[in-house]
């Protein structure tokens, strides 16, 4: 059996909000497997892991840029928030986001793209690491484009124009006037920043994630003592609810909390005199999915002093 360390118990507590003894038992029951322990706690109703899964742990900036019918979003990480406020770092993120408009948005394409002042993006990044004195990384990028219509960008918690902690792109395909599309796109982008949908519609939800949610729902329902056919309906209901709450078009608009996003788009199309298609969206949240190592400053000082 795997050793259950204090560090693993602490990590599980931070991820789930469950009690220390519950976390220890979860790890013991699952042979130290962290992900299995998270699921075990969720099946017992002892964790809110789904809400914690996207927690922000890394520093840096997310940048957005739009040109014509094309938009780009890029995340560049740094070790501290102090660097994110650095003019040199902000200029780099802004330039890289503009450069992304001419690429497919992939890190590979961005890294080898030419930088305005000379050299490649990767070479300038390497130079910045040396001059700023802190590790930085070009983590991810994405590009959206429409044939007719607009791509609208939005930044939440802006640190500077087009730079912040959450960056959103919304692609709307339509012959409607640009001002109407931009107004709708801004509202949708703000909704996406707040509601954090996992996919455009239910068909776009990750199948592995749905299978995991189904397994958790089955485990919960199996303890209800109800007949098998009722349990099956409970599980199907739980998955349908999960899909509805996490697919953008079926989410309730945060502006009124009663209208589905699909209906918001349809109504906007009627008012604009031309159908509007919500083609795609991208949402980058700074540090999403990255765990930051916490340090014990007192312990570090003691170790350095040989205590």
């Amino acid at each position: 059996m795997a050793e259950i360390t204090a560090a693993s118990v602490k990590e599980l507590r931070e991820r789930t909000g469950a009690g220390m003894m519950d976390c220890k038992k979860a790890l013991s029951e699952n042979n130290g497997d962290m992900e299995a322990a998270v699921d075990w706690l969720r099946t017992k109703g002892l964790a809110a892991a789904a809400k914690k899964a996207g927690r922000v742990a890394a520093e840096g900036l997310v940048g957005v840029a739009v040109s014509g019918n094309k938009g780009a979003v890029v995340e560049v990480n740094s070790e501290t928030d102090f660097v994110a406020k650095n003019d040199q770092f902000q200029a780099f993120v802004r330039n890289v986001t503009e450069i992304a408009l001419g690429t497919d948005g992939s890190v590979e394409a961005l890294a080898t793209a030419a930088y305005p002042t000379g050299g490649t993006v990767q070479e300038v990044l390497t130079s910045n690491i040396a001059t700023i004195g802190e590790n930085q990384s070009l983590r991810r990028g994405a590009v959206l484009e429409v044939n007719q219509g607009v791509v609208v960008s939005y930044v939440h918690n802006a640190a500077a124009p087009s730079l912040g902690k959450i960056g959103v792109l919304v692609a709307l395909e339509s012959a409607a006037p640009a001002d109407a599309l931009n107004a709708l796109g801004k509202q949708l982008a703000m909704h996406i920043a707040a509601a954090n949908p996992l996919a455009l519609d239910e068909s776009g939800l990750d199948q592995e994630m749905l299978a995991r949610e189904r397994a958790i729902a089955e485990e919960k329902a199996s303890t209800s003592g109800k007949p098998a056919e009722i349990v099956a309906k409970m599980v199907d209901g739980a998955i349908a609810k999960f899909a509805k709450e996490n697919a953008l078009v079926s989410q309730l608009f945060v502006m009124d909390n009663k209208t589905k996003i699909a209906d918001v788009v349809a109504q906007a199309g009627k008012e604009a005199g031309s159908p509007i298609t919500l083609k795609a969206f991208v949402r980058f949240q700074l540090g999403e999915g990255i765990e930051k190592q916490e340090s014990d400053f007192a312990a570090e000082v003691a170790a350095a002093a040989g205590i």
Side-chain angles (χ1 to χ4, degrees):
M1 181 175 176
E3 179 186 1
I4 308 303
T5 65
S8 62
V9 173
K10 179 175 180 290
E11 179 183 349
L12 187 57
R13 286 190 69 190
E14 291 174 347
R15 289 187 59 180
T16 65
M20 182 177 69
M21 295 309 296
D22 289 327
C23 289
K24 187 174 181 180
K25 184 176 181 181
L27 288 165
S28 297
E29 290 286 336
N30 293 280
N31 200 31
D33 186 311
M34 184 63 65
E35 295 304 319
V38 170
D39 287 349
W40 187 91
L41 286 167
R42 291 181 65 195
T43 63
K44 304 300 181 184
L46 299 171
K51 293 182 180 179
K52 302 227 177 204
R55 75 186 217 189
V56 177
E59 302 299 341
L61 287 170
V62 174
V64 296
V66 172
S67 178
N69 59 347
K70 193 172 186 179
V73 57
V74 171
E75 178 182 356
V76 183
N77 294 131
S78 61
E79 291 182 51
T80 65
D81 183 55
F82 180 76
V83 167
K85 299 173 182 176
N86 178 289
D87 290 341
Q88 181 180 343
F89 182 79
Q90 290 187 359
F92 176 77
V93 178
R94 188 174 289 108
N95 284 334
V96 170
T97 308
E98 294 285 347
I99 291 168
L101 289 168
T103 73
D104 62 5
S106 69
V107 170
E108 293 76 16
L110 279 171
T112 57
Y115 198 77
T117 57
T120 65
V121 167
Q122 183 58 55
E123 288 169 345
V124 174
L125 178 61
T126 301
S127 175
N128 286 351
I129 293 171
T131 56
I132 294 176
E134 183 172 305
N135 191 31
Q136 299 152 52
S137 64
L138 178 60
R139 187 188 179 202
R140 54 181 173 167
V143 169
L144 292 184
E145 186 172 10
V146 294
N147 293 319
Q148 184 180 33
V150 301
V151 175
V152 180
S153 66
Y154 171 70
V155 169
H156 187 66
N157 285 343
S162 300
L163 302 175
K165 293 185 180 295
I166 298 178
V168 178
L169 296 178
V170 177
L172 298 173
E173 194 89 52
S174 178
D179 57 348
L181 293 176
N182 281 316
L184 173 64
K186 180 67 176 295
Q187 288 190 323
L188 293 177
M190 292 173 70
H191 168 93
I192 291 165
N196 191 17
L198 301 179
L200 181 64
D201 53 36
E202 293 184 19
S203 67
L205 291 169
D206 181 72
Q207 293 303 304
E208 184 176 328
M209 175 184 61
L210 287 177
R212 184 173 171 181
E213 290 298 322
R214 179 170 289 276
I216 291 170
E218 288 173 346
E219 180 67 24
K220 284 184 177 180
S222 67
T223 63
S224 67
K226 291 181 169 45
E229 62 271 18
I230 300 299
V231 168
K233 289 181 179 179
M234 289 171 63
V235 172
D236 288 342
I239 295 305
K241 182 174 183 288
F242 177 85
K244 181 179 179 181
E245 291 177 347
N246 288 282
L248 174 58
V249 295
S250 57
Q251 287 184 327
L252 297 182
F253 192 31
V254 294
M255 300 295 182
D256 63 17
N257 203 35
K258 64 180 181 180
T259 310
K260 290 196 303 184
I261 291 297
D263 295 335
V264 171
V265 175
Q267 181 59 34
K270 289 180 182 179
E271 293 175 358
S274 181
I276 300 173
T277 300
L278 176 51
K279 183 179 179 182
F281 78 91
V282 178
R283 179 187 186 276
F284 280 2
Q285 182 164 336
L286 181 65
E288 198 169 35
I290 299 176
E291 294 293 336
K292 182 193 289 184
Q293 291 185 339
E294 294 185 9
S295 61
D296 185 332
F297 184 69
E300 290 179 3
V301 172
I307 298 175

